[in-house]
């Protein structure tokens, strides 16, 4: 029986991953701060992962075959985890994000326009780490989310204390109210009400993944032997108008658009820069992705049955 530890795992695809691990026969330990209890048959360690002495004490003599870190946002958190799990696991899987490729937040290797971005565009083994930045400041962290993820990956890759992979997730959708960011609901609500969707003049495509597919990929990654970053996205990039058209067709309404000026704030998933990811590496390693257009209508239907927000 494989022993797996999930840090976080209290909502959305992390919660589903815990259930997938149990179904696959894993012995599962969940670490969180106690606000949400994991399913029955899961060991629950209530501790703040930022408190290194408390985390080390809570872990005791436990060892794991794999750790899946769902809530690592800074190099400081990554360094604590590296020390705490150095002799306790052989494999470490960190959930990362497409936002590491956002050219608006860092100087990155250039990719030809329209070319899906490969993993080597951001190499964690060579990325500079700055521990002295104000990572404990919530406002700073929110403004530097992408850089926090890049540096967290870098710490875990450069320490070399265990086999490490970072799963760089596309924009996650599906699950109705479980999709707590409300980004898909932004479109279903506005199209239903006949309200404007704000878009860039030349919006570029991005990539998506269903939350169940991401949970499946993370489960697959727990027993695999590859290392390094891995892009996770369904086949078929969409731009904001593609997404809105699909939503509007399902609702039976005509979308209303308003173009924002250059540099202006637009709706979620409207991008004036290109960073749609390539999933070729994951496919070469044996993971089969769905097409976005196969599951997106179902995700829209779920969003339509979710209680509208008051925003």
């Amino acid at each position: 029986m494989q022993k797996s530890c999930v840090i976080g795992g209290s909502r959305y695809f992390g919660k589903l991953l815990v259930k997938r691990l149990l179904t696959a026969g894993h012995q599962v330990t969940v670490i969180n701060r106690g606000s949400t209890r994991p399913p029955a048959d899961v060991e629950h360690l209530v501790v703040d992962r930022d408190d290194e002495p408390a985390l080390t004490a809570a872990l005791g003599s436990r060892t794991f075959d794999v750790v899946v870190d769902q809530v690592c946002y800074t190099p400081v958190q990554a360094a604590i985890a590296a020390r705490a799990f150095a002799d306790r696991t052989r494999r470490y899987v960190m959930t990362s994000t497409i936002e590491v490729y956002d050219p608006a937040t860092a100087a990155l290797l250039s990719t030809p326009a329209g070319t899906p971005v490969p993993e080597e565009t951001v190499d964690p083994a060579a990325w500079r780490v700055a521990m002295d930045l104000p990572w404990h400041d919530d406002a700073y962290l929110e403004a530097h989310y992408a850089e926090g993820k890049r540096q967290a990956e870098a710490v875990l890759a450069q320490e070399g204390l265990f086999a490490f992979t970072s799963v760089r997730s596309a924009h996650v959708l599906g699950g109705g109210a479980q999709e707590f960011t409300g980004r898909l609901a932004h479109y279903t609500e506005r199209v239903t009400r006949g309200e404007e969707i704000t878009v860039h003049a030349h919006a570029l495509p991005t990539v998506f993944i269903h939350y169940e597919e991401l949970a499946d990929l993370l489960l697959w990654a727990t027993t695999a032997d590859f290392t390094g970053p891995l892009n996770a996205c369904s086949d078929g990039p969409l731009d904001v108008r593609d997404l809105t058209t699909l939503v509007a067709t399902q609702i039976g309404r005509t979308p209303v658009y308003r173009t924002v000026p250059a540099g202006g704030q637009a709706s979620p998933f409207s991008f004036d820069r290109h960073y749609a990811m390539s999933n070729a590496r994951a496919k070469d390693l044996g993971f089969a992705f769905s097409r976005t257009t196969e599951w997106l209508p179902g995700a829209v239907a779920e969003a339509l049955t979710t209680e509208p927000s008051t925003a």
Side-chain angles (χ1 to χ4, degrees):
M1 180 181 292
Q2 175 150 312
K3 293 190 292 182
S4 302
C5 176
V6 179
I7 307 175
S10 61
R11 61 181 179 176
Y12 208 24
F13 60 86
K15 185 176 180 179
L16 182 58
L17 171 63
V18 171
K19 294 178 180 178
R20 293 276 202 270
L21 289 166
L22 286 173
T23 300
H26 292 228
Q27 180 180 324
V28 183
T29 298
V30 165
I31 296 174
N32 63 33
R33 290 180 293 184
S35 59
T36 304
R37 292 193 59 80
D41 301 324
V42 170
E43 181 184 37
H44 188 197
L45 301 183
V46 178
V47 64
D48 184 346
R49 56 126 0 112
D50 295 336
D51 185 337
E52 186 171 355
L55 176 60
T56 303
L59 288 169
S61 61
R62 292 173 180 82
T63 60
F64 307 98
D65 295 293
V66 63
V67 174
V68 183
D69 195 340
Q70 297 280 78
V71 288
C72 189
Y73 302 112
T74 74
V76 175
Q77 291 178 323
I80 290 171
R83 291 188 293 266
F85 289 97
D87 298 316
R88 289 186 171 90
T89 189
R90 60 172 182 80
R91 183 166 179 77
Y92 203 99
V93 179
M94 173 188 153
T95 303
S96 191
T97 174
I98 185 176
E99 293 190 39
V100 302
Y101 298 119
D102 187 350
T105 63
L108 305 175
L109 294 174
S110 61
T111 303
T115 302
V117 180
E119 287 86 354
E120 55 265 29
T121 303
V122 176
D123 179 7
W127 199 262
R128 180 179 175 272
V129 174
M131 291 288 193
D132 57 346
L133 295 174
W135 295 114
H136 295 292
D137 182 285
D138 289 342
Y140 181 88
L141 180 55
E142 182 176 0
H144 296 82
Y145 172 74
E147 182 61 17
K149 282 290 194 179
R150 285 188 286 258
Q151 292 195 27
E153 286 189 36
V155 168
L156 292 164
Q158 293 170 23
E159 289 288 348
L161 299 171
F162 29 60
F164 171 68
T165 187
S166 53
V167 174
R168 294 171 175 169
S169 170
H171 308 293
V172 189
L173 297 177
Q178 294 182 73
E179 198 275 285
F180 58 91
T181 68
R183 292 175 298 183
L184 186 54
H186 173 93
Y187 292 92
T188 58
E189 292 174 18
R190 278 160 179 74
V191 171
T192 298
R193 298 170 182 166
E195 297 173 353
E196 291 179 335
I197 304 292
T198 53
V199 299
H200 293 98
H202 301 289
L204 294 172
T206 189
V207 284
F208 302 88
I209 191 167
H210 193 273
Y211 82 107
E212 292 182 351
E213 186 165 45
L214 181 54
D216 289 338
L217 185 144
L218 289 166
L219 174 64
W220 169 72
T222 63
T223 55
D225 58 3
F226 63 84
T227 58
L230 187 82
N231 292 339
C233 60
S234 301
D235 290 331
L238 300 174
D239 65 32
V240 64
R241 290 179 182 267
D242 296 329
L243 175 65
T244 306
T245 297
L246 189 150
V247 171
T249 299
Q250 199 156 333
I251 294 172
R253 299 288 299 270
T254 299
V256 180
Y257 297 106
R258 178 172 62 83
T259 302
V260 300
Q265 182 68 39
S267 294
F269 310 135
S270 182
F271 296 104
D272 58 359
R273 54 206 185 273
H274 173 79
Y275 64 115
M277 298 187 298
S278 167
N279 60 13
R281 183 177 188 231
K283 287 181 176 179
D284 289 344
L285 289 167
F287 191 83
F289 290 97
S290 66
R291 291 197 64 80
T292 305
T293 51
E294 292 173 351
W295 55 259
L296 188 52
V300 171
E302 289 173 322
L304 286 168
T305 60
T306 300
E307 186 71 22
S309 71
T310 57

